[in-house]
Amino acid sequence: MDRKTVTDMLKKYGYITSPEVEKAFLTVPRESFVLPGYRDRAYADTPLPILCGQTISAPSMIAIMLEVSQLARGISVLEVGCGSGYNVALIAEIVGEDNVLSIERIPELAEWGKENLKSAGYSVTVVIGDGTLGYPEKAPYHRIISTAAAPRIPSPWVNQLEPDGLIVCPVGSKHWYQELEVAQKTEKGDLVITHHGGCAFVPLIGEEGFRQ
Ligand code: SAM
């Protein structure tokens, strides 16, 4: 499969529904974000291993998360879990490079993600840290998107979210099964949570996440 074929397939089966997400998938070279041994499978609709026992999610899962995130140019985004950098490159295509930053717990992955982003032509800030605590230095955000699974939505994220903002996060057990939650912050600061199907993500490890 190539970039156009997988994008058309994701559109045909209803994973991609907006022109913004379609354009991002057609633009970002996924082959620049996978390990060299997996380049021939870069456009297969499957998760692939990256460094340090982590994964890059399947294109269909990424498309679901981007669509429920309701992104548009100028919206500020904190991505938790940079990994390869692929998802944050897609986000940058939609919201603009200066409006997104990514936080990664594992320094080796943060460095690799930064290199991948740079070689694919993206100038996105990647910081090393425990994303379960958010990143207060640049808060508030319109969106906080986690690409790792949490036992519950970390409370620092709620404090760092704009009213009406969205948190998008797989929530559930540490291994194998979670549900994708979208939590919208009300003017009063409460969360209204909707569920968007089952998923399987690596765990969000940290102070407000799972223990290692
Ligand atoms: N967005 C990534 C991509 O496009 O390749 C997906 C990476 S993987 C599914 C999830 C990532 O979350 C891993 O790189 C992992 O190290 C990271 N992670 C786990 N707990 C974290 C935390 N507390 N703070 C920041 N990153 C975390």
Side-chain angles (χ1 to χ4, degrees):
M1 272 221 267
D2 59 18
R3 208 181 307 162
K4 172 93 171 75
T5 309
V6 77
T7 307
D8 287 349
M9 191 267 297
L10 295 175
K11 207 174 153 188
K12 179 175 168 190
Y13 290 108
Y15 295 102
I16 292 179
T17 55
S18 68
E20 292 83 3
V21 173
E22 180 182 4
K23 184 164 173 278
F25 266 89
L26 286 172
T27 307
V28 179
R30 186 168 159 95
E31 63 275 20
S32 300
F33 295 88
V34 300
L35 292 170
Y38 290 93
R39 287 214 174 113
D40 58 338
R41 285 156 67 185
Y43 291 100
D45 189 21
T46 176
L48 293 172
I50 52 173
L51 301 175
C52 309
Q54 304 302 308
T55 53
I56 175 172
S57 300
S60 52
M61 190 67 239
I62 294 174
I64 290 170
M65 289 187 79
L66 292 177
E67 291 292 3
V68 298
S69 297
Q70 300 174 45
L71 301 175
R73 191 144 294 262
I75 277 183
S76 59
V77 181
L78 173 66
E79 187 211 39
V80 178
C82 178
S84 68
Y86 177 63
N87 187 55
V88 80
L90 292 166
I91 295 171
E93 279 292 337
I94 302 173
V95 303
E97 287 175 337
D98 294 342
N99 296 314
V100 58
L101 87 89
S102 186
I103 183 162
E104 170 57 53
R105 181 181 80 88
I106 303 174
E108 188 183 340
L109 267 176
E111 286 313 314
W112 186 61
K114 272 191 225 174
E115 277 170 32
N116 294 341
L117 284 159
K118 197 173 162 202
S119 66
Y122 292 93
S123 165
V124 172
T125 305
V126 179
V127 296
I128 297 167
D130 177 3
T132 69
L133 304 176
Y135 190 67
E137 290 85 340
K138 297 278 180 189
Y141 307 98
H142 294 112
R143 304 284 184 268
I144 298 177
I145 301 173
S146 175
T147 62
R152 72 199 76 79
I153 289 175
S155 57
W157 296 359
V158 184
N159 299 332
Q160 293 172 35
L161 192 67
E162 294 270 16
D164 270 344
L166 301 177
I167 293 168
V168 176
C169 183
V171 176
S173 59
K174 189 173 181 186
H175 296 293
W176 299 119
Y177 189 78
Q178 304 100 24
E179 273 198 74
L180 183 62
E181 290 191 359
V182 176
Q184 182 161 33
K185 187 175 175 176
T186 67
E187 289 292 333
K188 282 162 66 182
D190 305 324
L191 292 182
V192 177
I193 295 176
T194 52
H195 294 89
H196 298 265
C199 50
F201 277 78
V202 294
L204 183 76
I205 308 281
E207 211 171 299
E208 297 282 333
F210 291 105
R211 298 282 153 229
Q212 195 157 22

